[in-house]
Amino acid sequence: METAQMINLVKQMQQGDAEAFGELIHIYQDCFYRIARSRLYCDEDAADAIQETLLTGWEKRNTLKEPKYFKTWMIRILINKCNELLRRKQPVESLEHIPEPCTENMEENIMFKAMLKGLSEANRMVMALYYGDSYTIREISQILEISEDAVKQRLVRGRKEVLKSL
């Protein structure tokens, strides 16, 4: 979908158009799922976090200042909801469940899961966003609210962790 169309949908959503919100969510649902799974490892928990994210996004739709940042804004809400769920569920669940990357090739999925499995939490999120969802360093920086240098450092550390495990 074209950027102008997307911005128009966001503006409609901000004015209370639930159908526009639904269309936006439909466009980004796979991305939201992958991010939630990369944090929570369980379909049920991921679904809960996404549901809470959608509710919060709708309720706070007027707080979004720049319509072009809708996706980043929603991802930030989602990550916060995932973190809340993790805090409520102590101890943290095991790393046996790894998110599905955005690739159709099953062999690549298995390799991607194996790569992410051994990474530290901070590096896993950055690697999942960068390699799994093809976000840029700048976008990851905005989503995670960390500096671009921190994103680069985590990518370097994540790559080193992957190489050590080979």
Side-chain angles (χ1 to χ4, degrees):
M1 181 175 278
E2 204 173 296
T3 304
Q5 291 174 311
M6 199 69 76
I7 290 173
N8 189 37
L9 276 176
V10 174
K11 288 180 180 178
Q12 289 174 10
M13 179 264 312
Q14 287 180 306
Q15 294 171 358
D17 186 342
E19 286 184 33
F21 185 64
E23 194 171 333
L24 288 164
I25 298 312
H26 180 73
I27 291 167
Y28 297 122
Q29 68 186 359
D30 291 338
C31 174
F32 294 159
Y33 174 75
R34 281 189 305 275
I35 290 170
R37 280 294 307 266
S38 74
R39 298 285 293 151
L40 300 171
Y41 319 112
C42 168
D43 283 334
E44 293 81 16
D45 289 344
D48 288 345
I50 291 169
Q51 186 174 9
E52 289 180 30
T53 298
L54 299 181
L55 183 60
T56 300
W58 177 254
E59 290 173 346
K60 298 186 182 263
R61 65 187 179 275
N62 293 323
T63 64
L64 175 62
K65 294 179 178 119
E66 287 289 330
K68 66 182 178 180
Y69 295 123
F70 172 79
K71 182 179 177 184
T72 302
W73 179 70
M74 287 294 289
I75 290 171
R76 186 72 243 161
I77 293 171
L78 177 59
I79 290 171
N80 288 335
K81 294 297 178 187
C82 290
N83 290 339
E84 285 175 22
L85 267 173
L86 286 172
R87 278 191 297 274
R88 284 187 285 195
K89 290 183 82 165
Q90 294 295 330
V92 176
E93 294 185 25
S94 72
L95 297 178
E96 291 180 23
H97 303 290
I98 301 295
E100 293 296 323
C102 56
T103 178
E104 299 300 321
N105 186 324
M106 184 58 112
E107 189 173 316
E108 288 180 20
N109 282 347
I110 293 168
M111 291 174 61
F112 190 76
K113 285 181 181 183
M115 177 192 76
L116 289 179
K117 188 173 184 175
L119 298 179
S120 66
E121 178 68 28
N123 296 342
R124 183 175 54 249
M125 179 57 74
V126 171
M127 296 285 278
L129 290 170
Y130 189 78
Y131 291 108
D133 289 314
S134 302
Y135 282 101
T136 65
I137 290 172
R138 175 171 283 145
E139 290 169 331
I140 296 169
S141 168
Q142 292 170 344
I143 290 167
L144 298 179
E145 296 178 347
I146 59 176
S147 70
E148 288 183 30
D149 286 337
V151 172
K152 291 175 188 175
Q153 285 178 335
R154 290 180 186 184
L155 282 171
V156 168
R157 289 182 191 139
R159 290 178 192 128
K160 286 180 181 177
E161 286 181 49
V162 168
L163 288 174
K164 283 182 187 178
S165 68
L166 294 179

